[in-house]
Amino acid sequence: MADYGDAEDEFEDALEVIPAHCKMDLNTALADSKIAIHLFFNNKFDEAQLILEPWVGTSMYHTIGRSIFQFLEAVLTFEQTSIQRASASLKSSIRLCNSYRRKTTLTQSIGNIMKKPNYDTYTPDELHAELCFAEALLLRALLTFIEDETLVSFIRAGIKIRSCYNSYKECNVILNSRTWSESEKSYKDHFESGVRLGIGAFNLMISLLPSKIIKLLEFIGFSGSKEQGLSELQSCYQVTLGLRHVLCVLTLLTYNLVVIYVFSQEEGDLEFCDIALRQQLALYPNGAWFLYLKGRLEFMRGNIEEAHKWYIASVDSQNSWPQFHHICYWELCWANCVALNWKTAEVYATKLSEQSKWSRTTYNYQRACIMLMRGYNCLSRDELNTVNQLMADVPKYKQRIAGKSLPMEKFAVKKSQRFTNQNNRLFLPAIELLYLWNLFNVFGKRKSLYDNLYRLIDKNTKDLERNPGQYGSEYEYDNKALGFLLKGVCLRIMNSPLHAEECLKSVVSMEKRIKEDRYLVPYAHVELAFLYKSKGNLEKAAHYLETAKKNYSGYSLETRLHFQIHWAWTTLNEYKAKIANNKDLSPESKLDDNQ
């Protein structure tokens, strides 16, 4: 068994050996866990906790079960109190699992270096202790990733997960090298589902990181493969009787419906999501998690009214976690923004700014932006005063997490200051946010959506050309460049590549005249890369990606763009591999490996 004693301070020495009369047998623990999971995903949170709580601290599955539930709450609410509570719970789980793991003497550890341990001699409790230990380490590492999105945070988190990586590697060796008897089939199913879920999630998580972080991780001994991650998760999905099956489904749905659309211009596997959600909603018809994800599926399809219905169903399904309502309010806000239903979007933006504590800076700013989209002449005096107050409050609630400011909060603070400097005006502020939250591709799913968007951007861009003084003269080219960027991206999704290229290159040409919004130029380069990729010109796509990555730094939301660049490089290189295996493709489509 590997030695993880020096991993981190939180991985403390094992607890004292638990007396036999205080232990629960593994079969009962697994059976209880399955019942608790079913209750939990049907919104019966209290009943699930009642099953787990009496044995928390003595039964590893009851203890890790509670930690997983708290981890899910932390991930979906992003509230610091939830994150801290989940972190403390996971630390306890790690310590408890250590007490169940097979103990090795110094002599045995040295022997294990020379030859592999005989995993056939491990008891089922010891096997599952290894798995639960690895699971707790992975969830603990993931908590670090969600605290903030700066490069420093990702590097810190990457170093933390080294022990997690080693632990899952050992669990995988156990799965493949142990001789499993027929009587151990249920133990193996539960063990296999856990190992494949962990290996899959781990590889997927690492593969998403920007290349500079991946190079660091490779330097210290490990890497992640998106293909392996998805393959392991699909294998886990096939182990339907495994305890972690529903967690695997949740991971795949989140990846295909959220992660892909936040970090890339690619499409998730919506057909798989449709099938999986039908299955899960049959099992958990009132489950807030799957009702939400069904709404997200319809949103990504461009079915705004359907998405609205499912999000509301998720909100109405439970009241135990009001924070989870805020996730749905966020989606409802932006779904209505995509439909240009500003008044309805404002309703949900107001709920977020008044009820959620996650980021009042972000919520106040987006609420003000959405109100401004109705037009200054359409706002009453009281509404204008509300906008002014919201903008004034934006800097007051700026947070520091792990010593770092949240990038989107920093962006909102800069823009609130710009609002003041531009006669209490901003140029298409909510459309800019829709773009930055990577929601423009949703417009491309419905002609009515992108037609309305284009008319709005075109009208406001022409108004700006006719009367640039309405925003003051200081930021004239910042506003013009934003207008051309938004128009260019809209034309790209409308499949008008020549006009899109003209607009995006106009942004690049204004680089030296832009005073503050320096993010516009590297973002325009990446949009040009996406445009050329869609046209099949991979050499130009690679050129613009490389230029954005190497020639620009220190601008707003830089890490967010680096994620998109990394993902785009990955897909370009996958296409390169296909070209290498297909001599019929044209030579101009070949791509130099510039990464």
Side-chain angles (χ1 to χ4, degrees):
M1 186 172 61
D3 177 18
Y4 307 110
D6 62 349
E8 277 209 7
D9 291 341
E10 65 232 36
F11 310 147
E12 301 171 22
D13 294 337
L15 298 175
E16 295 296 324
V17 176
I18 300 170
H21 69 275
C22 293
K23 292 186 178 181
M24 172 178 280
D25 69 276
L26 186 58
N27 278 328
T28 305
L30 290 167
D32 276 4
S33 297
K34 290 202 82 166
I35 294 169
I37 286 172
H38 188 78
L39 290 170
F40 182 83
F41 283 103
N42 262 322
N43 298 343
K44 297 179 180 179
F45 308 123
D46 292 340
E47 291 94 326
Q49 293 285 9
L50 283 173
I51 289 175
L52 299 175
E53 284 296 339
W55 292 93
V56 168
T58 55
S59 164
M60 59 184 168
Y61 265 105
H62 289 70
T63 304
I64 192 72
R66 184 188 66 170
S67 296
I68 291 171
F69 293 164
Q70 291 180 341
F71 169 81
L72 289 172
E73 180 181 2
V75 169
L76 290 169
T77 63
F78 274 75
E79 292 198 345
Q80 285 306 299
T81 53
S82 298
I83 292 172
Q84 291 163 4
R85 184 165 55 248
S87 180
S89 180
L90 286 164
K91 288 179 186 178
S92 298
S93 294
I94 290 166
R95 292 166 54 211
L96 181 64
C97 291
N98 253 329
S99 73
Y100 277 91
R101 294 167 72 209
R102 172 164 290 201
K103 307 300 182 292
T104 55
T105 65
L106 178 60
T107 302
Q108 289 170 326
S109 295
I110 294 172
N112 289 343
I113 296 173
M114 306 301 294
K115 63 178 182 178
K116 291 181 180 179
N118 182 3
Y119 294 116
D120 288 346
T121 66
Y122 278 45
T123 67
D125 283 285
E126 288 170 339
L127 292 174
H128 281 267
E130 289 297 323
L131 175 58
C132 290
F133 179 74
E135 210 161 50
L137 291 180
L138 176 61
L139 297 181
R140 180 75 186 88
L142 284 171
L143 278 182
T144 305
F145 278 94
I146 70 171
E147 284 179 352
D148 73 272
E149 55 185 43
T150 61
L151 290 175
V152 172
S153 173
F154 284 117
I155 291 170
R156 186 185 302 119
I159 293 171
K160 281 183 177 183
I161 58 180
R162 183 169 187 167
S163 288
C164 166
Y165 177 78
N166 290 333
S167 192
Y168 265 114
K169 277 173 61 178
E170 182 155 1
C171 286
N172 201 37
V173 171
I174 294 172
L175 174 65
N176 294 311
S177 64
R178 178 181 168 87
T179 303
W180 298 87
S181 67
E182 199 57 40
S183 63
E184 293 178 323
K185 186 179 186 314
S186 66
Y187 290 139
K188 184 189 176 185
D189 283 348
H190 295 314
F191 188 81
E192 181 177 1
S193 75
V195 172
R196 295 199 184 281
L197 172 61
I199 293 282
F202 185 93
N203 275 273
L204 206 54
M205 175 180 68
I206 297 301
S207 72
L208 298 177
L209 299 177
S211 57
K212 64 175 68 175
I213 300 173
I214 289 179
K215 287 176 182 176
L216 172 64
L217 295 179
E218 289 173 345
F219 178 76
I220 61 177
F222 55 92
S223 61
S225 162
K226 183 177 76 171
E227 291 73 21
Q228 184 185 355
L230 290 173
S231 174
E232 291 288 349
L233 288 170
Q234 286 294 341
S235 296
C236 177
Y237 181 72
Q238 300 304 319
V239 186
T240 55
L241 296 178
L243 185 63
R244 280 88 171 174
H245 182 261
V246 65
L247 298 177
C248 173
V249 174
L250 196 61
T251 301
L252 283 168
L253 287 171
T254 302
Y255 172 76
N256 281 291
L257 293 175
V258 181
V259 174
I260 285 179
Y261 290 98
V262 170
F263 293 127
S264 80
Q265 297 290 323
E266 304 300 316
E267 283 285 327
D269 188 345
L270 301 188
E271 184 177 349
F272 162 80
C273 293
D274 194 16
I275 294 169
L277 280 166
R278 288 175 189 272
Q279 294 170 344
Q280 297 308 307
L281 285 169
L283 290 170
Y284 312 108
N286 297 314
W289 315 85
F290 296 111
L291 291 169
Y292 158 75
L293 287 165
K294 175 64 172 174
R296 181 76 184 180
L297 171 63
E298 297 303 332
F299 188 12
M300 293 305 99
R301 285 171 162 171
N303 299 329
I304 305 303
E305 291 183 3
E306 275 292 297
H308 194 285
K309 181 184 77 173
W310 288 102
Y311 287 140
I312 292 297
S314 180
V315 170
D316 292 342
S317 70
Q318 60 86 30
N319 289 311
S320 299
W321 284 1
Q323 305 97 326
F324 189 60
H325 295 172
H326 302 154
I327 305 294
C328 295
Y329 293 158
W330 174 272
E331 297 285 325
L332 285 161
C333 172
W334 294 114
N336 279 284
C337 284
V338 166
L340 308 187
N341 294 329
W342 303 118
K343 280 204 167 186
T344 307
E346 184 188 335
V347 170
Y348 296 108
T350 301
K351 287 178 181 289
L352 287 169
S353 68
E354 293 178 349
Q355 298 176 19
S356 178
K357 297 178 182 177
W358 176 68
S359 175
R360 293 184 69 183
T361 287
T362 302
Y363 293 144
N364 283 348
Y365 178 69
Q366 73 183 36
R367 179 184 171 190
C369 289
I370 290 167
M371 292 180 72
L372 288 172
M373 292 305 301
R374 287 164 49 198
Y376 294 92
N377 296 331
C378 297
L379 296 174
S380 68
R381 183 180 297 275
D382 286 343
E383 287 172 329
L384 287 171
N385 289 337
T386 298
V387 171
N388 294 340
Q389 188 59 55
L390 287 168
M391 288 293 192
D393 287 343
V394 164
K396 293 180 183 178
Y397 301 109
K398 183 181 172 186
Q399 305 172 89
R400 294 185 72 82
I401 299 174
K404 299 292 180 180
S405 299
L406 297 175
M408 188 52 80
E409 288 196 349
K410 289 169 69 175
F411 178 84
V413 169
K414 281 186 179 180
K415 285 290 184 174
S416 69
Q417 293 166 348
R418 172 81 68 79
F419 172 78
T420 303
N421 295 338
Q422 290 189 157
N423 305 322
N424 288 2
R425 292 173 183 268
L426 286 174
F427 179 72
L428 291 175
I431 304 301
E432 180 181 33
L433 288 177
L434 280 167
Y435 171 69
L436 292 173
W437 288 122
N438 214 18
L439 288 169
F440 262 45
N441 282 349
V442 178
F443 287 99
K445 302 296 177 66
R446 293 283 181 271
K447 185 176 186 299
S448 59
L449 294 176
Y450 64 66
D451 278 350
N452 290 335
L453 176 66
Y454 180 78
R455 283 196 291 268
L456 176 64
I457 296 173
D458 188 52
K459 176 184 181 301
N460 279 268
T461 303
K462 288 177 179 176
D463 287 346
L464 177 65
E465 290 284 347
R466 286 193 295 265
N467 183 20
Q470 61 184 304
Y471 300 97
S473 59
E474 192 176 1
Y475 300 99
E476 178 181 352
Y477 285 94
D478 296 67
N479 293 323
K480 283 183 178 179
L482 175 58
F484 279 114
L485 176 66
L486 298 176
K487 191 172 182 179
V489 179
C490 188
L491 287 163
R492 176 175 67 78
I493 64 174
M494 293 169 67
N495 198 26
S496 297
L498 294 178
H499 290 107
E501 181 180 8
E502 182 181 350
C503 288
L504 294 170
K505 286 186 173 178
S506 293
V507 178
V508 175
S509 71
M510 297 180 194
E511 179 176 356
K512 293 184 179 179
R513 296 184 177 185
I514 293 172
K515 179 179 179 181
E516 189 173 89
D517 290 339
R518 296 189 303 111
Y519 85 91
L520 295 170
V521 177
Y523 272 72
H525 276 84
V526 172
E527 289 296 336
L528 282 164
F530 295 147
L531 180 65
Y532 285 120
K533 177 175 176 283
S534 68
K535 292 165 63 176
N537 191 334
L538 302 188
E539 286 188 1
K540 277 196 172 182
H543 165 73
Y544 279 104
L545 284 177
E546 190 72 6
T547 302
K549 187 170 93 171
K550 289 190 173 179
N551 292 5
Y552 299 92
S553 62
Y555 52 89
S556 295
L557 305 175
E558 181 178 354
T559 301
R560 187 178 296 274
L561 187 64
H562 276 270
F563 273 105
Q564 292 200 32
I565 292 171
H566 169 66
W567 205 304
W569 270 121
T570 301
T571 57
L572 282 176
N573 285 329
E574 288 171 356
Y575 206 90
K576 176 188 173 182
K578 291 179 182 178
I579 291 172
N581 294 324
N582 189 345
K583 296 179 182 178
D584 294 333
L585 289 177
S586 58
E588 64 265 25
S589 295
K590 292 182 179 179
L591 169 68
D592 292 326
D593 189 354
N594 293 315
Q595 202 168 3

